[in-house]
Amino acid sequence: MSNPETNANILRNEAAPDMNNLPADAFELKHNDIHAHIDTNFASQNFWLDAYKRFVKNKGAVIGLLLIVIIIFFAVVGPWMTPYTYNQQTIQQQNLAPRIKGLEWLGFNGTESIITSSGTIEKNGYEANDWDDVYYWFGSDNLGRDIFTRVWEGTRISLLVALVAVTVDILFGLSYGLISGYFGGKADMIMQRIAELLNSIPNLVIVTLMILVMSPGLGAIIVAISLIGWIPMARIARAQMLKLKEQEYVLASRSLGASPLHLIFNTVMPNIIGQIITQTMFSIPSAIFTEAFLAFVGLGIPAPLASLGTMINDAYKFATTHTYMIIFPLMILSLLMLCCNLVADGLRDALDPQQKEM
């Protein structure tokens, strides 16, 4: 009588192929490019490329950046687009409404509605004086100066103030915060008490006192704004340094003999560049607003120079009769501040790794 296990082994051996006589193409490797499946969701990607893709998805930030580029373009070339200069006065052509050649059908024909005690009247100074070849794109002010040229000249000054103030914020505020956070101890305590003392005084009070002590002018405004504008940047830099200085890569660099300056500016600072860029964009509208406020209250740059704040200060007296005088500088100032905030929000979302979608 046969054993069942023996019979099963016999059948298995008969069914099994002879491994020594298999052809060369009997097996096929599966780890080739045709059958390999890579998970593209977690594929490695450059940080800045990833941030760029996240930024362009934010439509508000993209539109804000585009408007900033347009404003900067007109600030550069705008004063050269008309035959007038920012300080040229033509008293005979004062208080003229906007008139643009070829766009009269859109309402830019020089006609304005003036509200008086007896009612609303329509007035066109160009037609009344037969000035067929005279065009003021944004109108003229009470001294006969071209508002278009003065608006873009004022935008230049506002952007220059913001640029210089932000540069000082980065050079001084960033270094102050990084050094304070790295060394800690008594150095950090003393440096932070100084910053808190300056921050406890209202910003506008400090700026106003500086303007009164120094002679009025563009340099005084830049110094006054830069005196206190670096504190937010210093706080962010210090917080990031306290967070990163005990990381493994910093400890490894320190153990290899890196100097404190190398650790601060070569090891830690490149890892907080996203926060630096974001804070820089938030600082720009703050500096622009401060300069505009000082100019509006009469502490700005002296005449005949113009900034957006001085133009608003000069035009608000005529807001009820010649509205166009205040609309254009106010619109450019508002757009500039709004767009900077939109771009800053977009950069913050794009550069924050915690916001990354899986």
Side-chain angles (χ1 to χ4, degrees):
M1 186 174 180
S2 62
N3 190 349
E5 294 183 359
T6 303
N7 294 336
N9 292 332
I10 295 174
L11 293 174
R12 189 181 300 111
N13 293 332
E14 292 177 353
D18 189 359
M19 302 299 294
N20 296 325
N21 297 325
L22 289 177
D25 58 349
F27 297 96
E28 180 181 358
L29 297 176
K30 288 294 184 181
H31 59 274
N32 52 30
D33 295 336
I34 298 177
H35 299 284
H37 297 282
I38 301 175
D39 190 355
T40 57
N41 292 329
F42 297 92
S44 61
Q45 186 169 257
N46 182 272
F47 171 77
W48 294 108
L49 179 60
D50 182 56
Y52 168 76
K53 291 181 177 179
R54 292 175 59 82
F55 180 81
V56 297
K57 290 181 180 179
N58 191 328
K59 302 304 180 183
V62 173
I63 294 174
L65 181 61
L66 179 62
L67 290 176
I68 290 175
V69 173
I70 294 175
I71 291 174
I72 293 176
F73 171 79
F74 278 102
V76 174
V77 304
W80 306 99
M81 296 175 66
T82 64
Y84 311 104
T85 61
Y86 71 92
N87 59 353
Q88 178 180 343
Q89 299 182 14
T90 308
I91 301 299
Q92 297 82 1
Q93 298 177 359
Q94 63 181 353
N95 301 332
L96 295 178
R99 185 187 186 191
I100 303 177
K101 187 176 183 178
L103 297 181
E104 290 86 356
W105 59 279
L106 287 177
F108 296 97
N109 54 8
T111 302
E112 62 175 327
S113 299
I114 301 177
I115 301 175
T116 64
S117 58
S118 59
T120 302
I121 61 174
E122 299 289 334
K123 178 183 177 182
N124 191 315
Y126 301 93
E127 296 178 355
N129 295 277
D130 295 328
W131 291 329
D132 296 332
D133 56 346
V134 175
Y135 295 92
Y136 287 98
W137 294 350
F138 286 177
S140 62
D141 62 8
N142 61 312
L143 295 178
R145 296 173 297 189
D146 180 36
I147 296 178
F148 181 87
T149 304
R150 288 177 63 80
V151 162
W152 299 121
E153 190 71 28
T155 305
R156 281 184 179 182
I157 294 176
S158 298
L159 291 174
L160 177 62
V161 169
L163 179 62
V164 174
V166 167
T167 302
V168 173
D169 292 350
I170 294 177
L171 295 179
F172 184 73
L174 182 62
S175 302
Y176 192 93
L178 291 176
I179 294 173
S180 176
Y182 178 81
F183 290 102
K186 293 183 178 180
D188 180 52
M189 182 184 66
I190 295 174
M191 295 176 72
Q192 291 307 306
R193 296 300 81 77
I194 295 174
E196 290 176 1
L197 178 62
L198 291 175
N199 194 50
S200 63
I201 305 175
N203 296 349
L204 294 179
V205 173
I206 296 179
V207 173
T208 304
L209 291 176
M210 286 294 300
I211 295 295
L212 295 177
V213 171
M214 302 177 64
S215 58
L218 185 59
I221 293 176
I222 293 175
V223 172
I225 294 176
S226 303
L227 183 64
I228 55 176
W230 56 270
I231 295 178
M233 178 68 75
R235 285 181 171 178
I236 291 177
R238 175 179 177 271
Q240 293 298 319
M241 173 60 76
L242 294 175
K243 176 182 176 181
L244 298 177
K245 71 177 183 178
E246 300 299 334
Q247 295 291 323
E248 287 80 1
Y249 66 92
V250 179
L251 297 176
S253 182
R254 184 185 297 124
S255 64
L256 292 175
S259 64
L261 289 179
H262 183 276
L263 291 172
I264 294 173
F265 296 104
N266 292 79
T267 305
V268 176
M269 192 175 72
N271 291 279
I272 63 172
I273 193 67
Q275 290 81 358
I276 296 173
I277 295 175
T278 302
Q279 180 58 34
T280 300
M281 288 304 301
F282 278 116
S283 299
I284 292 176
S286 177
I288 293 175
F289 172 77
T290 303
E291 185 277 330
F293 173 81
L294 292 174
F296 181 76
V297 299
L299 298 175
I301 58 177
L305 291 175
S307 69
L308 296 177
T310 56
M311 293 190 65
I312 295 173
N313 182 36
D314 295 337
Y316 87 96
K317 307 169 187 176
F318 306 94
T320 57
T321 56
H322 306 288
T323 311
Y324 60 88
M325 290 188 186
I326 196 173
I327 284 181
F328 294 105
L330 191 61
M331 181 178 64
I332 299 300
L333 178 64
S334 301
L335 273 178
L336 191 57
M337 294 182 61
L338 175 62
C339 292
C340 287
N341 280 300
L342 288 175
V343 173
D345 288 334
L347 288 173
R348 180 179 57 191
D349 295 338
L351 297 174
D352 188 358
Q354 296 180 354
Q355 298 289 331
K356 186 174 181 179
E357 299 176 359
M358 299 301 292

